[in-house]
Structures are given as C-alpha cells and as structure tokens.
Amino acid sequence: MKYLIPAALAAVAALGLAAPASATGKMTCSVPQKSWKSQDALRAALTKQGWKVTKSKVDGGCYEVYGTDPQGNKVEAYFNPATFEKLLVSRRGKILYKAPAGHKH
C-alpha cells in the first residue's frame, strides 16, 4: 500500500506532462520555450501588418490567434512562438494558408 500512492502520483504527473490539455492537434511547434517571444509582441507585430487580434493563447506549443486578417477574414491562425512565422490560417475549418510541407516549426 505504501508504494501505491507514489506510483499513482507519478502516473498522473507523467500524463500531465505528456499532452497539454488544451492542444487541438491542428498544429504543433517544437520550439524551446526559452526562445519564445511574448504574446504581446506577436499582437503588436500582427497589428502592424493589419491584423485585428481578439484573442491569443498557446496551443500545441504554438501561438494560436483569433481575429481578423489584413484581408478582412475572421480567422484562427497559428504562429511559431520564437519567430512569429505564420504556420496555419483557417476560416470556419477551411485552410486559407499552410506552411509548406517539411517546414520546421
């Protein structure tokens, strides 16, 4: 019995580290967190490019942004958190832009 509790705690901790709870699977980024720029900096960069950002969050290790792109489309978009490179832009499930295959992010 005395080994059961530590083993259960280790299993729960491993599950928590293995898969972020909010990841949707649409895009994943493998960028060390120490190299990430802030979400505020991403918002500022996108605003300069004509985007209107209504919400941003981390999803799958990428920055996920909801808002309006420069063309006026209401979109969901993913960006590399270290470089702010655009990786995926979709509107109501339709992909408007996707980074080329084999692209590292």
Side-chain angles (χ1 to χ4, degrees):
M1 183 72 175
K2 65 181 178 181
Y3 297 110
L4 183 59
I5 292 173
L9 291 174
V12 169
L15 287 174
L17 295 174
S22 64
T24 61
K26 290 183 183 177
M27 184 61 57
T28 56
C29 295
S30 302
V31 179
Q33 198 163 11
K34 65 183 176 185
S35 65
W36 289 16
K37 298 177 187 174
S38 73
Q39 289 184 53
D40 288 338
L42 174 61
R43 285 175 184 247
L46 291 175
T47 300
K48 255 186 171 175
Q49 296 172 22
W51 290 68
K52 293 178 185 164
V53 177
T54 56
K55 180 181 174 183
S56 68
K57 65 179 185 174
V58 176
D59 184 32
C62 305
Y63 284 150
E64 179 182 19
V65 171
Y66 295 91
T68 306
D69 69 9
Q71 292 74 37
N73 298 306
K74 288 191 177 195
V75 298
E76 172 184 7
Y78 288 80
F79 295 87
N80 179 306
T83 64
F84 296 159
E85 180 179 6
K86 181 172 55 175
L87 303 172
L88 178 73
V89 179
S90 65
R91 179 179 183 195
R92 295 184 181 152
K94 179 182 177 188
I95 295 175
L96 302 178
Y97 172 84
K98 187 169 184 178
H103 185 76
K104 296 243 182 204
H105 44 276

